[in-house]
Amino acid sequence: MVARDEVKKYHPAFSQIIQREEWSYWDDVELRLSVTLRCANSNCGEEHIAYARGGIEPCYDHNGNTDYEEFFKIHFIVPSPHIIDLPEKLPDTIKREFLASFDNYWAHKNLAANSIRNALEELLSYFGIEDEKDGKWVSLGNRLKTLAEVEEGHAEFLQTLKPIVNAGSHGNEIKVDTLLDAYEALEIFLDEVFSERKARFQKLMEKLSDQEK
């Protein structure tokens, strides 16, 4: 992405008022930043609005002098860019949950993980694993056990993700690197499941096998 307009940084009035108080400290400073971004891909050109919150933090030189540096953390980007590529054949029920996770990623990593969990539930439904039995809700763990009976490889991978996505539901801290690794693994997995290349490869293998007979 490239910035379409000038980056707008500002110091909100409420924070400026606090700075005039005798008790105020450097970590009471709150800053804001906004910018309009445009996708650098000429086939896209989508515009996104990015908003960030920040502050200042001290830094020291070799003489012990103190200076302050600004820092910012993205709070949201609208529309949110896709963190991973989603297959064209991905059902809308699953895609919707991934799009929600992309939106939540910037400010709420736990909510992003929880949306991935919802995507896994929808994925299990796509695989034909029921979420209800005898009028009772079936947990994700039990659904994965059922999946293992028919697609052990799929179940093994999704089971690996279970502790990560459950952490999002339970409000536990999620490391950024762990979440990004989960996204990357899901990208590869979804491509394998929904890509037409795999089905095409299988057909070609069958044709080649028939040629040998």
Side-chain angles (χ1 to χ4, degrees):
M1 290 186 186
V2 294
R4 196 201 71 177
D5 298 316
E6 181 181 352
V7 176
K8 299 176 182 178
K9 293 192 295 184
Y10 59 97
H11 188 188
F14 75 86
S15 182
Q16 294 184 45
I17 293 173
I18 291 175
Q19 294 314 298
R20 292 197 286 267
E21 299 292 340
E22 293 183 0
W23 50 262
S24 66
Y25 199 54
W26 62 264
D27 59 357
D28 293 314
V29 174
E30 291 195 37
L31 302 176
R32 303 287 185 264
L33 179 150
S34 64
V35 63
T36 300
L37 303 169
R38 176 178 292 156
C39 179
N41 187 334
S42 60
N43 294 321
C44 176
E46 177 73 273
E47 293 191 350
H48 307 258
I49 297 175
Y51 172 78
R53 294 175 175 174
I56 62 173
E57 58 186 6
C59 57
Y60 309 94
D61 63 21
H62 61 280
N63 293 321
N65 298 317
T66 305
D67 198 358
Y68 294 91
E69 291 184 347
E70 297 178 348
F71 68 89
F72 292 92
K73 181 180 179 181
I74 294 176
H75 195 66
F76 65 75
I77 301 179
V78 180
S80 182
H82 290 195
I83 296 174
I84 58 173
D85 290 329
L86 299 176
E88 291 184 7
K89 298 295 184 180
L90 189 68
D92 288 341
T93 54
I94 304 173
K95 181 179 181 180
R96 183 167 55 245
E97 298 298 339
F98 275 108
L99 294 180
S101 76
F102 300 158
D103 288 339
N104 290 323
Y105 173 81
W106 304 102
H108 303 287
K109 300 296 188 290
N110 287 4
L111 289 180
N114 188 59
S115 293
I116 293 176
R117 188 187 194 283
N118 293 339
L120 299 189
E121 294 278 10
E122 294 294 343
L123 187 59
L124 287 169
S125 296
Y126 171 83
F127 289 143
I129 309 302
E130 297 181 353
D131 60 359
E132 186 176 301
K133 186 175 182 180
D134 299 327
K136 296 181 179 180
W137 170 74
V138 181
S139 68
L140 175 62
N142 286 330
R143 296 182 79 190
L144 289 173
K145 290 179 181 178
T146 302
L147 178 65
E149 297 173 2
V150 292
E151 286 286 354
E152 185 177 356
H154 290 355
E156 182 180 4
F157 168 65
L158 297 180
Q159 185 67 43
T160 301
L161 296 179
K162 184 171 172 282
I164 301 169
V165 297
N166 277 349
S169 301
H170 300 151
N172 298 329
E173 182 181 358
I174 298 177
K175 294 182 179 179
V176 174
D177 288 348
T178 299
L179 188 56
L180 291 177
D181 285 345
Y183 274 124
E184 184 178 359
L186 277 163
E187 182 177 41
I188 297 170
F189 176 77
L190 293 174
D191 183 66
E192 179 182 339
V193 173
F194 294 98
S195 174
E196 295 181 346
R197 294 182 66 187
K198 184 177 180 180
R200 177 61 179 165
F201 177 76
Q202 191 62 40
K203 288 182 180 180
L204 290 171
M205 286 292 291
E206 292 174 359
K207 284 185 177 181
L208 293 171
S209 297
D210 290 340
Q211 292 290 333
E212 297 176 356
K213 296 178 181 179

